[in-house]
Amino acid sequence: MFSRTENVQTFVRAYPLVTLFIVIQLLVFVIDSFAPGLRIVATGGSFHLALADGQWYRLVTANFIHLSLGHLLFNSFALIIFGPAMERMVGHVKFALFYVFAGALANLLTYFTVSNLFYLQAGASGAILAILGFYVFIGRFRRTLMYSQDARLVYIFVAISAVFTLIGSNVSLWGHVYGFLAGFLLAIPLSRFAVPYTRPMRYGKYKQRSYAPPVIHSGDGKWFFYIIIGLAIFGLLAQFL
């Protein structure tokens, strides 16, 4: 479920929304790095003073803006590992709506919790924690949708994320907490439409839906997985350098 052995072409074809979100955040970071005059962070980050002025679009745009290379790489790794299964289980449209809404909701609740008007929040962490919250819910209450070993992997990653949330510098504690809670609560209605990862062609119990063909797992894609792991480790260590 979380072992990525697809090659790049198969991954893009099977998980177009995960691919799109990763490409967007990579492009935003590259453009911001080479064209700082565009002030992408200043105009798109979840800056509380700007939110107080009514610039609510920042709740969404902030999810695709990262302040450091390490944060970008780690979030991209997490999205590549955990995003595909959910996109297949609930469908492309529902996954996209969930990802954007949960991330925006985490930013909004943080705005109402942190009174500092000069507080700035950016990054996909809230939305990614929401995906993990979704898995925790189905792992506990919709066990027919998820193997127990996959659920244990999610619990471990949530625990690791909690540790780094508490000890990491420049980490939005409330953004992570609210993202996870948003995903957990949204999973209550959304899980009714989810299907097991091994049955991507079914929609709930009754309806058929068109979907990407099942992913063909091939050893040709293992190098892709190893590169992802390497980038994630580099991204994680870079946050402490």
Side-chain angles (χ1 to χ4, degrees), residues 27-134:
L27 286 177
V28 168
F29 186 82
V30 170
I31 292 173
D32 184 55
S33 300
F34 289 95
L38 294 178
R39 303 176 68 245
I40 291 178
V41 174
T43 57
S46 183
F47 185 46
H48 286 192
L49 186 62
L51 292 176
D53 193 42
Q55 299 179 25
W56 299 111
Y57 68 89
R58 292 171 176 266
L59 297 176
V60 174
T61 57
N63 296 316
F64 301 97
I65 298 173
H66 291 79
L67 304 179
S68 70
L69 178 61
H71 195 203
L72 170 69
L73 293 177
F74 189 75
N75 280 346
S76 297
F77 155 76
L79 186 53
I80 288 173
I81 295 300
F82 294 106
M86 184 177 179
E87 183 172 349
R88 185 188 292 192
M89 293 171 72
V90 303
H92 305 307
V93 175
K94 288 184 177 64
F95 172 76
L97 293 175
F98 172 92
Y99 187 86
V100 173
F101 180 74
L105 184 59
N107 291 332
L108 178 64
L109 294 177
T110 300
Y111 167 69
F112 286 118
T113 302
V114 180
S115 58
N116 181 7
L117 289 178
F118 293 96
Y119 187 83
L120 174 65
Q121 182 168 278
S125 299
I128 292 171
L129 264 294
I131 295 176
L132 295 178
F134 171 85

Side-chain angles (χ1 to χ4, degrees), residues 3-8 217-229:
S3 177
R4 304 267 61 87
T5 57
E6 309 92 348
N7 57 43
V8 176
H217 293 275
S218 168
D220 294 338
K222 289 184 178 180
W223 64 269
F224 181 44
F225 178 72
Y226 294 144
I227 290 177
I228 295 170
I229 294 294

Side-chain angles (χ1 to χ4, degrees), residues 7-29:
N7 57 43
V8 176
Q9 182 180 5
T10 303
F11 185 94
V12 172
R13 185 173 66 250
Y15 314 116
L17 272 301
V18 170
T19 303
L20 176 63
F21 293 146
I22 292 173
V23 169
I24 290 175
Q25 63 190 32
L26 288 174
L27 286 177
V28 168
F29 186 82

